[in-house]
Amino acid sequence: MRGIVASAAALLGATGVAIAIFIIAGWTGLGVWPLAALAMLGFAGAGTMLLRVAARRTGRPERGTWWWLAGGCVAYAIAAQLFVGTPPRHALDGPEPMPGTQYWNLGHGARLAYRKQSAALGVPHRAEPVIFLHDGPGIPALPAFHAQGVWPVDFVAADGYDVYYYDQRGAGFSSRLDLRTQAPYSVAGHVNDLEAIRRQLGARTMILVGHGWGATLAINYLLAHPSSVSRLVLESPGPLWYPEWSDLIEPSARARMTDVQASALAVLQRPSLRLVLGRMMADFSRRSAHTLVADWEADQWWTRLRAQELALGQPRATCLTEQLPEAAPPAGLGFFANSYTLADALRLPDPRPALKEMNVPVLVLRGLCDYTSWRVSYEYLDVLPGARYVAVPAAGHQIWLEKSEMRTTVIAPFLRGEVVPLAFYTGKR
């Protein structure tokens, strides 16, 4: 029995060596099959050495190691093909572009989908557009708003504004980066896309409405192009600076789950071995990593996980006991746009000293039931000299779904340069 245990441990160690070779050798830029061949050679070499050591220590004849090695190679090859070499069934199709979808071609292969709400007829047309920046990153606007039948800032068209909603690169109807050959998603990349949009529109300045991560994007755009922003509306905002906030979620925003629900969610939260290896390989070679794991595979896992989390209220997005009936299952999610952008956000320098010198008018709205900590949003009031802060009662993360009229009553006068109604106005630095 001691010899069997030692031989099994030797093969397990050889498996670890093979996995390390598969991951680290990605720096060569080889494809999946050459890497798999290298890993198999590593398994055979390490297995031979470790099995001999195990035989000597247990007093068994070394010639028996060849049978163990042969069986181990067969088992390794079968397991590698089943758990790494075979992708899951492609069961999730991307959303079909909705009627009225238009595209900006920004160069370098960037093709961003957008929807425009033109200014109302019979009112003076305003030159600066209103641009909606969606949450995420990697959680697009167009599929969700089309499914909900709600366009959160269309009401400002009545004041003469053209309104644009677009899917940021890497999600929704917009193009994806080819991560085998292109630099990964980054905050600066999203900022550059937004600046390219401004140039295409021929606008001198823009009004940015940022929701969640979109607020963080708006702030980073303001830092890079301060003269191109006239006003900011930031709803349920993400962090000004991600390294400052290791935990964004209020503990009270997590709904109770049964043991069965918690177990089912835990299973979905564990990515496949292919995804884990692909993420580890990306540190050495994105080409090899993304040859192994395509966008659709990562998106499929993340979409299923997000759908289950939303269904279970993890976190709860509303003040209601149940989730909002208008909320649709997530569609068009971009996992790599999310993971690479957030990883980049954690490496950025602190923007707050520079922001304290900027006096752009800013309206910050937070629903009192928002799952993001109130400290995250309140920091905008503390840092930005021109900020006004409005706490919206009985509203969660998507204020437009629960308090649409109240929200309109706050945002419309702010964009017109009027005083925010005192009934809602809670703070100004």
Side-chain angles (χ1 to χ4, degrees):
M1 176 61 73
R2 183 170 167 232
I4 294 174
V5 172
S7 296
L11 292 177
L12 186 61
T15 301
V17 171
I19 292 174
I21 290 173
F22 186 79
I23 294 170
I24 297 172
W27 71 269
T28 62
L30 292 174
V32 174
W33 288 111
L35 288 174
L38 281 176
M40 175 59 90
L41 289 174
F43 177 85
T48 300
M49 182 183 68
L50 293 173
L51 284 168
R52 284 178 174 176
V53 171
R56 285 196 297 269
R57 290 190 174 183
T58 57
R60 301 177 66 200
E62 288 191 17
R63 64 177 180 273
T65 62
W66 298 109
W67 292 106
W68 275 95
L69 182 64
C73 285
V74 171
Y76 171 83
I78 293 173
Q81 179 60 28
L82 287 175
F83 295 107
V84 178
T86 304
R89 185 171 65 90
H90 193 164
L92 183 68
D93 295 324
E96 290 293 327
M98 62 191 191
T101 302
Q102 302 179 67
Y103 293 88
W104 288 307
N105 293 304
L106 305 182
H108 306 291
R111 189 168 184 260
L112 303 190
Y114 72 94
R115 182 254 194 190
K116 176 183 179 182
Q117 174 60 49
S118 297
L121 299 176
V123 297
H125 184 267
R126 298 178 185 263
E128 56 184 1
V130 175
I131 312 291
F132 184 90
L133 306 176
H134 64 69
D135 203 352
I139 303 176
L142 301 186
F145 293 157
H146 177 63
Q148 294 169 355
V150 176
W151 299 92
V153 286
D154 271 9
F155 65 88
V156 303
D159 282 336
Y161 292 103
D162 290 330
V163 183
Y164 295 88
Y165 307 83
Y166 77 97
D167 288 340
Q168 296 157 26
R169 197 185 324 204
F173 305 135
S174 292
S175 62
R176 308 293 180 95
L177 291 173
D178 184 349
L179 294 168
R180 295 169 299 178
T181 58
Q182 294 178 285
Y185 299 95
S186 65
V187 176
H190 291 298
V191 168
N192 292 339
D193 284 346
L194 183 53
E195 172 62 6
I197 289 170
R198 183 191 68 80
R199 292 177 182 273
Q200 282 220 3
L201 295 177
R204 187 178 65 83
T205 60
M206 302 183 294
I207 295 172
L208 302 180
V209 180
H211 176 237
W213 141 258
T216 308
L217 173 56
I219 287 296
N220 279 274
Y221 180 84
L222 174 66
L223 286 166
H225 305 279
S227 63
S228 297
V229 179
S230 63
R231 288 177 180 271
L232 291 173
V233 177
L234 308 177
E235 296 189 65
S236 310
L240 272 173
W241 189 43
Y242 272 87
E244 186 74 9
W245 299 97
S246 57
D247 189 6
L248 304 176
I249 308 301
E250 292 278 15
S252 60
R254 299 193 181 278
R256 291 187 177 182
M257 294 186 292
T258 66
D259 290 343
V260 172
Q261 290 172 329
S263 298
L265 184 58
V267 170
L268 281 175
Q269 287 172 332
R270 290 195 295 269
S272 68
L273 182 58
R274 280 171 57 86
L275 291 177
V276 172
L277 291 180
R279 180 64 192 89
M280 296 172 71
M281 288 173 68
D283 293 333
F284 298 92
S285 170
R286 289 192 307 275
R287 179 180 179 275
S288 298
H290 294 291
T291 299
L292 175 67
V293 180
D295 274 270
W296 70 262
E297 185 176 342
D299 293 350
Q300 182 167 282
W301 167 73
W302 194 40
T303 299
R304 287 172 172 168
L305 172 60
R306 287 280 302 169
Q308 186 67 11
E309 287 175 335
L310 290 173
L312 293 173
Q314 305 300 318
R316 295 179 64 242
T318 173
C319 282
L320 302 175
T321 304
E322 302 295 334
Q323 290 297 87
L324 290 167
E326 297 92 342
L333 302 188
F335 174 76
F336 291 130
N338 177 272
S339 60
Y340 280 111
T341 303
L342 291 182
D344 180 62
L346 289 169
R347 294 190 291 264
L348 296 179
D350 189 348
R352 293 171 293 187
L355 290 171
K356 290 188 177 190
E357 305 300 319
M358 295 185 176
N359 202 24
V360 175
V362 180
L363 177 64
V364 180
L365 294 93
R366 179 187 181 271
L368 291 179
C369 296
D370 187 8
Y371 56 74
T372 302
S373 170
W374 68 269
R375 297 175 182 85
V376 173
S377 55
Y378 201 78
E379 186 174 34
Y380 286 80
L381 179 66
D382 186 52
V383 170
L384 293 161
R388 295 165 172 78
Y389 188 98
V390 173
V392 182
H397 195 63
Q398 297 178 330
I399 301 172
W400 59 81
L401 289 179
E402 297 182 89
K403 292 294 178 181
S404 176
E405 291 185 7
M406 182 181 294
R407 176 177 170 275
T408 300
T409 306
V410 174
I411 294 176
F414 172 76
L415 295 188
R416 291 193 294 263
E418 300 172 2
V419 177
V420 175
L422 291 177
F424 309 113
Y425 176 57
T426 62
K428 176 183 178 181
R429 184 177 173 82

